[in-house]
Amino acid sequence: MKDSRILSTFQELAPAKGTRPLRKMPEHVRAHELVFDTCQVGVVLRAVLFVQAIVLVASLFGAQSWWGWLTQMAMLTGAALPAVLAWLLAVCMFKRPLWYLPMPLQWTLGVALGALAALYGCALLNWMGLLEPAPWLGSAASGALVAAVLVAGLVWRARARTPAGTTAQLAELQARIRPHFLFNTLNSAIALVRAEPAKAERLLEDLSELFRHALADAKEAVPLGQELELARHYLAIEQVRFGERLRVEWSIDETASRAKLPPLILQPLVENAVKHGVEPSPMGAVVRISTKRRGSVVVIKVTNTVPAGSGAPGHGLALDNVRQRLNLLHDVQGRFQSALVDGVFQVRLEIPV
């Protein structure tokens, strides 16, 4: 039996004696890595709508009629929209250099870029003769203030990722190595050691891979192919336990395997399919996992038949966990849907490539 592969998993998880731990990245870098990630569609959309709302309200001051209000709003939009887009583009371009700076300096540069972007918008109106004399100081101050609000929103969004990711990782870790599942796996391996040693070896190797992924260092995103491989190990273990009651069908599009997902996000969906589809039914169930690339979007489906009916309803914590983590990583570009239709429960994910 190839014990070295199994034991190496646990050896890699603990530091060797006499060795120094790896030097960690500075705290401000790890905590605020994605603060200025303004290249995402959701961030751009919210920023533009926020600035446009300010323009809408500001246009009310001094407007004597509806036509005057519309004219004023159109003029201010001509300055505000190019300014906010210029700020978003500049921040997106410089997000890597900003990544390494202390947080106070990141704030300062973000606000300064906002002031410059506002001056750019004011200059456009002045150049077209729509704003004379040009309020340079007021434009710079308003741009700095709006930029400060946008930076605060980005910081809040970045900090929201950390506790959600940590909680999700702990929840998935507990689900994967829960005593019930672990004892069932070890008992199955013990029963196979003498009768089918090769099968017992594969079972322990699959278990070691689950531990390897569960206890590895947390990452923001991993390839879809890695998540599918983890699901294969889990289903191989449950196949030994349920035998013919667990029928697995795969439909994998290899061109979609590089799409990015939060780590350990596909696993709870597969566990749910086994727990609510196979476990409560004497006849078992069919679990289907499919991936398909459609242009710039990858569609992932995890379905299971429910021969015994809907069964006892769960709390939906795993599904909510997946939905929240997908939203934090891909924002409006990621979609999550789940439904029970005609005895088949389906979870559908859409992620950008």
Side-chain angles (χ1 to χ4, degrees), residues 69-202:
W69 173 66
L70 291 174
T71 303
Q72 184 79 356
M73 184 176 64
M75 184 184 68
L76 293 180
T77 300
L81 187 58
V84 68
L85 291 177
W87 184 83
L88 291 169
L89 180 61
V91 170
C92 178
M93 291 175 58
F94 294 111
K95 67 176 183 179
R96 284 300 174 187
L98 289 172
W99 182 44
Y100 293 99
L101 298 177
M103 199 57 200
L105 188 54
Q106 291 187 32
W107 275 79
T108 302
L109 292 177
V111 171
L113 286 174
L116 291 176
L119 290 175
Y120 164 70
C122 182
L124 286 178
L125 294 183
N126 182 257
W127 176 69
M128 292 185 291
L130 298 176
L131 194 62
E132 294 181 357
W136 301 108
L137 182 59
S139 297
S142 61
L145 181 60
V146 172
V149 175
L150 293 177
V151 171
L154 292 172
V155 170
W156 175 84
R157 183 175 182 271
R159 289 178 177 175
R161 304 169 75 105
T162 303
T166 303
T167 302
Q169 185 184 18
L170 291 175
E172 299 310 324
L173 178 59
Q174 291 172 353
R176 189 163 303 104
I177 62 173
R178 62 186 185 273
H180 180 69
F181 170 72
L182 182 58
F183 292 156
N184 282 336
T185 304
L186 293 178
N187 286 334
S188 298
I190 292 172
L192 292 171
V193 165
R194 294 184 179 180
E196 300 180 77
K199 196 172 184 179
E201 178 184 358
R202 289 195 300 271

Side-chain angles (χ1 to χ4, degrees), residues 13-61:
L13 298 175
K17 295 182 178 179
T19 61
R20 293 183 178 181
L22 294 176
R23 184 179 180 182
K24 293 184 177 180
M25 191 179 297
E27 185 65 27
H28 73 271
V29 174
R30 290 186 289 114
H32 305 287
E33 178 180 358
L34 297 174
V35 166
F36 289 96
D37 191 7
T38 59
C39 307
Q40 297 188 16
V41 175
V43 174
V44 174
L45 180 61
R46 292 188 185 94
V48 170
L49 290 178
F50 171 70
V51 173
Q52 190 60 36
I54 296 177
V55 168
L56 187 149
V57 175
S59 302
L60 294 173
F61 291 92

Side-chain angles (χ1 to χ4, degrees), residues 82 91 114 225 249 280 286 315 318 329 350:
V91 170
E249 297 180 359
V286 178
H315 298 289
L329 180 63
E350 292 185 15

Side-chain angles (χ1 to χ4, degrees), residues 297-316:
V297 176
V298 171
V299 179
I300 307 168
K301 295 181 182 179
V302 179
T303 66
N304 63 274
T305 56
V306 189
S310 59
H315 298 289

Side-chain angles (χ1 to χ4, degrees), residues 251-268:
S251 178
I252 305 301
D253 184 353
E254 295 299 334
T255 61
S257 298
R258 293 185 178 181
K260 296 294 185 178
L261 281 173
L264 309 177
I265 199 174
L266 190 60
Q267 182 67 19

